[in-house]
Amino acid sequence: MKYSGYAYVYTIGCQMNVYDSEKLALILSSYGFEKTDDLDKADIVVCNTCSIRHKAEEKAFSFLGRFAKIKKKKPHLITVMAGCVAQQEGKKAFERIPHLDIVLGTQAFSRFGKHIDAVKSGKLRVVDIEDSSMIYEAMPDSTCFDENKISRFVTIMQGCENFCTYCVVPYVRGRERSRDPEKIVEEITLLAESGVREVTLLGQNVNSYGQKEGRISFPQLLARINEIKGIHRIRFATSHPKDLSMDLIYAIRDLDKVCNHLHLPVQSGSNQVLKKMNRGYTREKYINRIYDLKKQCPDIALSTDMIVGFPSESKNDFYDTMNLLREIEFDSIFAFAYSNRSSAPAAKFPNQIDEKEKLDRLNQLLALQEQFTEKKNKDLVGKVLEVLVEGKSGKKRDGFEQIGKNLEQMTGRSESNKIVHFPSEHAKIGDRINIRIKDAYPHSLWGHPVGDCEYR
Ligand code: 5AD
Ligand code: SF4
């Protein structure tokens, strides 16, 4: 059916949810709904949820909870809980949000339109959390092209079968399945034609892409995408350390568009914790993989995920994690306090760590990393980095106005994913410009275009 009205899509959580929300928006547009950023105008509200940590889950309930009052004044408003919390809660979601209309699990997107029709014709409380072996396919069209968005996410696979003991993903995203490479290439080609210059390929463990289905391997997929005209940069996340292959290392080294950056979540520096997490590698194995990688790609930028306060993590285990940070010197980290998820096995592990202690460890870890992030940035002063221009900087550097009348302060990212600000008269979104780095800050760099006069 076709309807008229406005749709508001609110996304919580990871990059995959950002991608999924774009697909939900495409469905809504094909049903006649126009996208809006104004919640007051909305006739349908979709909250695409995340359940990886307690806080994200609470955010979803509190966002959707507020529509109880609004729906009294606006009874035709449709509210939808989509994604991981929907998958996890199913019809239990109505206990906390009685006014909810649709609970749409992670694998139910292809039936979303049908559920909207059902609600429109008077059906109450639709729940769809059925599993599916397919990934919902919808090619981008003009409704989702935005010329200011030169970087986009593209999901290449979904689900996970690694069963790390702290993680809900295998339970809410289902078993691992990969998209057809032809569909991926078609989607990225369309994005490139619409002006996208950078894609980030998404999957819970990209190293195992295509293995189950007997498709091409992940390095082969990278080689295919490397050929797409208009795409300048390829990023990907996430790699699992236990499966990082030499072929992937060679692909990073040899394929010109694949960025010189790897996100390789380590989670902990302690062997006893890694074992309890079911990560499938030891601290030594992880360090060796990094060594193999650096031998082939000496300047590679590295980032990681860390969890502190996993059940039974002792002070010494935590110091092992701190020491791993010192040993590897990551460019950046994402660190989290362990969050107990009732559907993941670690929820029942003994010796859960006190919340205050977890936060204290998290702060210590972040403070230590701050030093390395700053040091890595300082090491770049004097070097030339290729920057993909993303737009004008939100906040201008002090004294910027004095350096030249016709200049704009622009911003972009280096291959290593560092934010670089620079003055320019001509730079446009999507351009690649060589910037000589002049100053380093904790979270960004400042430089000027090589060949231009020296602005200061
Ligand atoms: N508690 C804290 N962090 C978690 N992550 C996954 N599950 C949990 C949890 N229960 C983190 C991991 C993962 C990242 C996406 O989220 O570090 O790599
Ligand atoms: Fe979760 Fe582990 Fe799978 Fe990553 S690899 S999604 S942490 S179970």
Side-chain angles (χ1 to χ4, degrees):
M1 287 277 282
K2 273 270 183 192
Y3 305 100
S4 63
Y6 289 99
Y8 183 95
V9 181
Y10 178 61
T11 310
I12 300 169
C14 67
Q15 300 171 333
M16 201 172 270
N17 269 10
V18 173
Y19 177 84
D20 284 350
S21 289
E22 283 171 3
K23 299 295 170 203
L24 291 170
L26 269 173
I27 300 173
L28 288 164
S29 127
S30 74
Y31 273 72
F33 291 102
E34 207 176 306
K35 223 157 91 178
T36 180
D37 292 329
D38 181 356
L39 200 49
D40 293 336
K41 261 169 82 177
D43 301 291
I44 180 164
V45 173
V46 181
C47 178
N48 194 11
T49 61
C50 169
S51 60
I52 202 128
R53 283 172 288 276
H54 178 69
K55 229 183 185 166
E57 197 175 302
E58 282 309 304
K59 204 168 159 186
F61 280 110
S62 100
F63 174 78
L64 285 164
R66 67 166 114 155
F67 292 98
K69 252 197 198 152
I70 301 173
K71 277 192 84 157
K72 282 205 178 107
K73 281 193 237 145
K74 208 172 165 184
H76 76 279
L77 176 70
I78 299 176
T79 50
V80 183
M81 176 191 263
C84 295
V85 180
Q87 186 71 33
Q88 178 183 286
E89 299 295 308
K91 64 177 185 325
K92 278 201 305 223
F94 297 118
E95 288 169 18
R96 283 185 67 181
I97 315 189
H99 55 273
L100 202 57
D101 295 296
I102 303 176
V103 175
L104 190 75
T106 51
Q107 296 150 74
F109 286 19
S110 61
R111 297 177 294 273
F112 185 27
K114 196 179 91 186
H115 299 325
I116 296 173
D117 287 338
V119 170
K120 282 278 188 189
S121 49
K123 192 163 188 255
L124 298 174
R125 296 185 167 181
V126 179
V127 183
D128 185 348
I129 52 167
E130 256 175 65
D131 287 349
S132 163
S133 56
M134 306 284 288
I135 298 180
Y136 177 70
E137 286 289 349
M139 287 300 151
D141 69 18
S142 57
T143 58
C144 65
F145 293 148
D146 170 356
E147 62 188 33
N148 291 324
K149 230 173 144 187
I150 50 143
S151 182
R152 295 284 285 257
F153 301 121
V154 175
T155 287
I156 60 163
M157 60 198 297
Q158 271 190 4
C160 183
E161 284 165 23
N162 287 309
F163 293 98
C164 301
T165 53
Y166 50 81
C167 185
V168 291
V169 169
Y171 311 98
V172 293
R173 287 264 180 195
R175 55 187 195 281
E176 192 177 281
R177 55 220 183 274
S178 300
R179 284 178 73 196
D180 178 348
E182 300 309 324
K183 294 272 188 222
I184 298 169
V185 169
E186 183 189 340
E187 178 165 356
I188 298 175
T189 307
L190 281 170
L191 291 174
E193 284 165 1
S194 80
V196 169
R197 298 289 165 255
E198 178 181 85
V199 284
T200 304
L201 311 177
L202 303 177
Q204 264 76 33
N205 181 10
V206 292
N207 309 90
S208 57
Y209 170 81
Q211 279 176 13
K212 258 186 163 181
E213 292 86 356
R215 302 194 193 285
I216 58 173
S217 69
F218 184 58
Q220 286 167 329
L221 179 70
L222 286 174
R224 288 281 310 271
I225 298 169
N226 201 62
E227 299 294 307
I228 298 176
K229 225 174 106 204
I231 293 296
H232 297 327
R233 284 183 176 175
I234 306 166
R235 301 185 185 278
F236 57 86
T238 297
S239 284
H240 195 302
K242 78 178 167 49
D243 298 321
L244 176 67
S245 67
M246 280 316 284
D247 278 351
L248 180 56
I249 293 177
Y250 297 141
I252 300 171
R253 185 193 65 186
D254 299 336
L255 296 172
D256 59 330
K257 295 180 185 175
V258 175
C259 288
N260 204 18
H261 171 219
L262 187 70
H263 182 66
L264 198 65
V266 63
Q267 312 297 3
S268 170
S270 147
N271 279 337
Q272 80 96 8
V273 173
L274 286 170
K275 193 150 187 238
K276 287 191 178 136
M277 286 179 163
N278 191 32
R279 288 293 289 174
Y281 55 85
T282 58
R283 169 198 180 93
E284 294 72 27
K285 272 205 179 134
Y286 183 90
I287 293 170
N288 277 339
R289 287 279 76 181
I290 297 285
Y291 177 78
D292 291 338
L293 178 70
K294 287 209 163 160
K295 219 161 132 192
Q296 303 301 327
C297 315
D299 298 326
I300 195 156
L302 289 170
S303 56
T304 199
D305 291 345
M306 299 271 195
I307 296 177
V308 295
F310 185 77
S312 86
E313 182 190 72
S314 66
K315 287 242 189 282
N316 278 342
D317 293 322
F318 173 63
Y319 295 143
D320 282 347
T321 296
M322 294 279 275
N323 283 333
L324 186 78
L325 226 61
R326 293 187 179 98
E327 200 165 336
I328 301 210
E329 298 195 357
F330 294 100
D331 289 74
S332 61
I333 66 166
F334 297 89
F336 310 99
Y338 166 73
S339 171
N340 219 353
R341 313 284 49 224
S342 57
S343 49
K348 297 189 188 67
F349 286 6
N351 306 321
Q352 300 277 336
I353 310 289
D354 173 77
E355 288 303 319
K356 196 178 153 290
E357 179 65 24
K358 283 191 227 172
L359 281 184
D360 188 42
R361 290 181 192 181
L362 181 63
N363 288 334
Q364 284 185 57
L365 194 76
L366 290 171
L368 177 64
Q369 178 56 34
E370 197 75 11
Q371 297 170 22
F372 294 119
T373 305
E374 207 165 338
K375 173 172 177 281
K376 290 265 167 181
N377 283 356
K378 289 222 163 90
D379 287 348
L380 292 169
V381 173
K383 300 228 160 82
V384 174
L385 302 182
E386 186 201 86
V387 171
L388 182 62
V389 182
E390 288 178 3
K392 291 180 190 169
S393 301
K395 188 173 172 281
K396 292 212 170 87
R397 174 179 146 113
D398 287 347
F400 180 82
E401 313 299 346
Q402 277 92 60
I403 63 171
K405 265 209 198 110
N406 301 323
L407 298 174
E408 267 301 341
Q409 185 175 307
M410 304 298 286
T411 186
R413 276 175 197 265
S414 68
E415 248 194 79
S416 54
N417 214 17
K418 295 190 194 287
I419 297 169
V420 183
H421 301 295
F422 60 97
S424 176
E425 201 177 332
H426 308 292
K428 296 186 303 305
I429 293 174
D431 285 351
R432 281 169 298 171
I433 300 188
N434 285 332
I435 303 290
R436 186 175 300 283
I437 304 304
K438 291 279 178 185
D439 284 326
Y441 304 104
H443 301 288
S444 65
L445 301 164
W446 166 265
H448 66 79
V450 172
D452 282 15
C453 55
E454 300 254 334
Y455 311 115
R456 241 344 205 159

